[in-house]
Amino acid sequence: MAGSRAMPLLRQRRFLVLLALGFSAGVPLPLVAGQVLRQWFTESGISLTDIGLTALIGLAYSLKFLWSPALDTVAPPFLSRLGRRRGWLLLIQPLLILAILATGFSNPATGPLGTAALAAFVAFLSASQDIVVDAHRIEILEEEEQGYGLACYIWGYRLALLASGGGTLWLVGALGWGGAYAYAAALMLVGVAATLASREAPAPVTPPVPWSTRLNTSVVQPFADFMRRPLWLAILLFIALFKLGEALAGIMTTPFYRSLGFTREDVAAVATVFGLFATLGGALAGGWVVARLGTAKALVFTGLGQMLSNLMYVALAHAGHDYPMLWAQVGIENFTDGLADAAFVTYLSSLTSRAFTATQYALLSSLAAVPLRTLGASSGWLAESLGWPGFFLMTTAAALPAMAIMVFLLWRLPPPEPARAVEPVL
């Protein structure tokens, strides 16, 4: 009887652990690959060209599949007695805290390369934490608990985006950049506590698999299988280009708002907090649109919305320091991005083979982000060359190649219906 009463409590603790680990995973992202770092660079007088190059910092999140097999096969040094997952987490998380602190106490005004290098190190550690947390999440839950566990993780992640993104920007005025980053580093203690409170899943009894074999299984075989399908190159081009206009515009939003006279607090309240809720609302509405229209029609409808929403930047550029227009621009742009995310993720999911569902989806979504990080690095140079209205008109036009490829693919290879429901990408 006592055992039956204890089981719900044990499961409840596991879900709380995943909520906290999701929070820990979300903390670093705004600090090194989002609005917080770009706001800091903008206020430090860094050129638009150099701010655009910060897009490259986020490559670690897109390429983490390259070293994930190593974290699966190599025992964590010094902490192996805690288990493979908990040992790696308790090695990575303190390093993350120190790296975030070091980033905060650097000075981009006098040493932007040093700040960028520290931010890249934070991104690498953060991506590594993501790898271990994902594996730990899957291993500590039963099959029927995976959906609820993933939901806990995602909501923890989203809460962290608010606490680390908006919260850090709000505190700069009172604490300075170093103090605000110290606050963000302290948020990582939630993840440390969750790791200590969690329990390691029993180690598999199967013999260890070499790193090269795991890389072949997780990257080479799924990609080779994908290349055997018709029009695979056109599909990859579409995946790579679908978010290009949004990515180019998104990297420049912080210096753009600053140039119009909006404050750091405006960015925190409107672009970060309100923008996140608008994206979530769009993602929820996008699921309904996919269910009502089907994947193909929803992809066209939401893709057009995502493309045309960039014209709101042009309207804001002409309106200037206009708060109602700022709220409208952020709301429409983020809502349409959430709509498009829902349809795009559903389409990506329809492309996976049953033999490689998880690995192929992870690989496709990672590859989709690589061109955005690399091509997105040119956004600052383009903004300086074209001016704000011309730049945002260009980002609108940048979506046209993907739209043309999409219509061609939907005509030649319509996705199966009904589409599978998938959680939108964060």
Side-chain angles (χ1 to χ4, degrees):
M1 195 71 179
S4 63
R5 286 195 300 267
M7 282 304 293
L9 294 175
L10 179 62
R11 290 178 179 175
Q12 181 76 9
R13 185 174 74 173
R14 289 209 305 270
F15 294 131
L16 288 175
V17 163
L18 290 176
L19 182 73
L21 287 176
F23 185 90
S24 179
V27 166
L29 182 65
L31 306 174
V32 298
Q35 283 188 327
V36 175
L37 183 72
R38 290 177 190 136
Q39 180 72 32
W40 192 11
F41 272 38
T42 301
E43 293 183 17
S44 299
I46 307 299
S47 70
L48 292 180
T49 297
D50 290 339
I51 292 173
L53 292 174
T54 61
L56 297 172
I57 293 172
L59 273 175
Y61 293 102
S62 304
L63 299 177
K64 61 187 178 183
F65 63 86
L66 293 176
W67 66 91
S68 60
L71 292 176
D72 253 347
T73 56
V74 178
F78 314 117
L79 297 173
S80 57
R81 62 184 178 82
L82 296 175
R84 185 173 43 176
R85 308 305 183 195
R86 294 174 71 233
W88 271 117
L89 284 176
L90 288 175
L91 187 66
I92 292 169
Q93 287 168 337
L95 289 175
L96 257 175
I97 292 172
L98 293 174
I100 292 171
L101 281 170
T103 304
F105 286 101
S106 65
N107 188 350
T110 58
L113 288 179
T115 303
L118 286 167
F121 184 52
V122 172
F124 169 76
L125 291 172
S126 174
S128 300
Q129 178 186 228
D130 291 349
I131 293 167
V132 183
V133 168
D134 284 339
H136 191 49
R137 171 180 57 80
I138 292 168
E139 291 172 354
I140 66 174
L141 297 178
E142 302 296 333
E143 182 66 30
E144 64 273 12
E145 298 173 325
Q146 293 293 334
Y148 187 38
L150 179 61
C152 291
Y153 171 87
I154 288 172
W155 279 105
Y157 196 100
R158 289 168 175 167
L159 287 172
L161 297 182
L162 292 175
S164 178
T168 301
L169 288 176
W170 273 106
L171 288 172
V172 171
L175 304 178
W177 285 104
Y181 266 71
Y183 149 81
L187 295 177
M188 287 297 304
L189 295 174
V190 173
V192 175
T195 302
L196 292 170
S198 68
R199 295 289 181 268
E200 187 85 3
V205 295
T206 55
V209 180
W211 179 85
S212 58
T213 303
R214 285 182 178 270
L215 189 62
N216 180 63
T217 303
S218 61
V219 178
V220 177
Q221 289 184 25
F223 196 68
D225 174 80
F226 184 81
M227 290 174 64
R228 286 192 285 268
R229 69 179 59 212
L231 302 175
W232 68 270
L233 186 57
I235 294 172
L236 281 185
L237 280 173
F238 166 66
I239 291 172
L241 296 176
F242 184 67
K243 291 283 184 181
L244 179 59
E246 176 200 355
L248 289 169
I251 294 166
M252 286 291 106
T253 54
T254 300
F256 171 58
Y257 296 147
R258 181 79 174 179
S259 72
L260 297 179
F262 294 108
T263 66
R264 186 191 311 121
E265 290 74 20
D266 295 332
V267 173
V270 184
T272 303
V273 178
F274 173 64
L276 178 60
F277 282 107
T279 301
L280 295 178
L284 289 173
W288 179 84
V289 169
V290 171
R292 290 297 300 268
L293 300 182
T295 307
K297 291 180 181 178
L299 203 56
V300 174
F301 172 74
T302 62
L304 282 171
Q306 177 182 257
M307 179 181 73
L308 295 176
S309 69
N310 275 15
L311 294 175
M312 289 299 296
Y313 287 109
V314 180
L316 181 58
H318 288 296
H321 191 259
D322 185 312
Y323 280 102
M325 182 59 74
L326 174 66
W327 283 85
Q329 180 271 312
V330 170
I332 292 172
E333 196 266 336
N334 282 275
F335 184 82
T336 54
D337 286 349
L339 278 175
D341 281 346
F344 184 58
V345 170
T346 305
Y347 177 69
L348 276 188
S349 303
S350 74
L351 298 175
T352 60
S353 302
R354 285 191 175 272
F356 301 102
T357 302
T359 50
Q360 238 173 32
Y361 177 79
L363 187 62
L364 287 174
S365 57
S366 294
L367 290 176
V370 171
L372 305 185
R373 301 288 186 187
T374 52
L375 295 176
S378 66
S379 59
W381 174 79
L382 290 168
E384 285 187 331
S385 302
L386 301 174
W388 290 122
F391 170 72
F392 288 116
L393 284 172
M394 183 276 299
T395 65
T396 305
L400 289 174
M403 296 295 292
I405 297 171
M406 177 181 68
V407 172
F408 169 73
L409 288 173
L410 294 177
W411 170 56
R412 291 290 304 274
L413 299 171
E417 305 293 351
R420 281 175 281 172
V422 178
E423 178 69 29
V425 174
L426 290 169

